[in-house]
Amino acid sequence: MHIERIALDESVGKAMPPQLLVDALSDLDPTVELVEDGEQFGPGDAVVSFGHRDAFFDADWVHCIRAGYDEFPVGVYDEAGTFLTNSTGIHGTTVGETVLGYLLTLARRLHTYRDAQHDHRWRRPSYEESFTLRGERICVVGLGTLGQGVADRAAALGMDVVGVRRSGESVPNVSTVYTPDQLHEAIEDARFVVLAVPLTRETTGMIAAPEFETMRDDAYLVNVARGPVVETDALVSALEDEAIAGAALDAFDEEPLPEDSPLWDFDDVLITPHVSAATGAYHEDIAALVRENVAHIEAGETLRNRVV
Ligand code: NAD
């Protein structure tokens, strides 16, 4: 296989100014160009894209600029003989720092002071309200790039880090690793439960009413994975019934989160608009992955992050 053109689908604009990615790849041998909806593809074409279009099946290789490729019809790519790669491996620092930001905000009550600031109000917390992360247990569900990024940072702040991993094998900075069938045991003592799994058949609805019943009533749920990993109605009920203390949510069933969602109005729910991985250097991380795989293709080697 020989790549002659790298077509950057206009959807990359959802994650970065596309011209920055063009410039970052401009020294490669293949032509690099921005293409619009309606562009056709053929042999020798690679496509770099945020989302899927059926026309991509005619290209040799498609690179998804997200870690989660749940919106791509993987089986059809396989049948078409089109390589599909994703962008896992690059979000450990960005999402890791965002999650620690959520944790610090909730524990040190920073969101409450910011809320009060809007009303020019000098709000002091009740005596028991604030706590420190040091010594608190965090359970990280999914110990890949995101999960390890969170675990490393939580451990650095002195948290008691446990996690859930399919293999159950140990991971640096995680004191106990549970398997998915031990999910309840893993989350029952945690002050924070952080979801960092891909959206799959197994993970859809993995946090629902039974899990909220299992969690501590002073626990917080953090979802930086995908919306459907959590049953939203069960989450809203758990928050209304004070079965958990709050949440930090970056991913939702429907995005943007509809204006009439009840999730907007809880004092102890932090809503961020699917930006936990945001950084002004994203084009450089994506360019490095694309560059590495162009070299692999030219050398006839296995692609990094190959999905099919
Ligand atoms: P990754 O592939 O490096 O890690 C995912 C881990 O989850 C793997 O170790 C996998 O074995 C594990 N896993 C899968 N099913 C599991 C289960 N049932 N129980 C426990 N563990 C399970 O991927 P990543 O880069 O860490 O990203 C993870 C997901 O996070 C992505 O698929 C994407 O949906 C989401 N994500 C969101 C953002 C954001 O901006 N909010 C950014 C990057 C990734």
Side-chain angles (χ1 to χ4, degrees), residues 66-70 86-92 94-95 102 140-148 163-167 178-181 183 195-204 206 223-227 229 250-251 255 272-278 282:
R66 311 176 80 186
Y69 52 86
D70 42 276
N86 76 341
S87 297
T88 191
I90 62 173
H91 305 102
T94 48
V95 178
Y102 297 144
V140 185
V141 184
L143 286 164
T145 307
L146 260 55
Q148 289 186 32
V164 179
R165 190 182 190 197
R166 281 181 300 181
S167 70
Y178 298 88
T179 48
D181 59 311
L183 179 66
L195 306 177
V197 286
L199 179 62
T200 64
R201 209 174 311 139
E202 291 75 37
T203 63
T204 301
M206 91 190 288
N223 186 7
V224 284
R226 286 286 183 267
V229 174
D250 191 48
E255 295 180 4
T272 52
H274 208 133
V275 288
S276 62
Y282 200 57

Side-chain angles (χ1 to χ4, degrees), residues 4-27:
E4 284 162 16
R5 174 173 79 137
I6 300 176
L8 306 187
D9 183 74
E10 60 182 352
S11 65
V12 299
K14 290 184 178 176
M16 66 188 88
Q19 191 58 41
L20 289 179
L21 189 55
V22 174
D23 294 346
L25 293 170
S26 60
D27 62 319

Side-chain angles (χ1 to χ4, degrees), residues 37-165:
D37 198 6
E39 180 76 11
Q40 298 301 305
F41 304 96
D45 277 341
V47 183
V48 177
S49 186
F50 183 92
H52 164 76
R53 287 199 282 126
D54 286 351
F56 297 170
F57 296 136
D58 297 327
D60 281 339
W61 163 42
V62 175
H63 180 75
C64 165
I65 64 167
R66 311 176 80 186
Y69 52 86
D70 42 276
E71 290 166 17
F72 283 69
V74 172
V76 190
Y77 276 89
D78 200 17
E79 279 165 28
T82 303
F83 289 149
L84 176 65
T85 52
N86 76 341
S87 297
T88 191
I90 62 173
H91 305 102
T93 301
T94 48
V95 178
E97 290 189 3
T98 302
V99 170
L100 263 289
Y102 297 144
L103 269 49
L104 287 163
T105 298
L106 291 165
R108 306 307 305 149
R109 314 303 295 153
L110 303 182
H111 57 301
T112 69
Y113 312 128
R114 182 69 196 200
D115 288 349
Q117 184 180 339
H118 291 303
D119 305 329
H120 297 195
R121 194 157 49 84
W122 187 259
R123 176 189 187 271
R124 292 186 49 85
S126 66
Y127 184 69
E128 310 80 19
E129 198 179 321
S130 311
F131 60 103
T132 61
L133 295 182
R134 197 159 80 104
E136 292 288 350
R137 173 166 289 200
I138 176 174
C139 176
V140 185
V141 184
L143 286 164
T145 307
L146 260 55
Q148 289 186 32
V150 172
D152 293 350
R153 287 162 182 79
L157 289 191
M159 297 187 78
D160 171 19
V161 187
V162 303
V164 179
R165 190 182 190 197

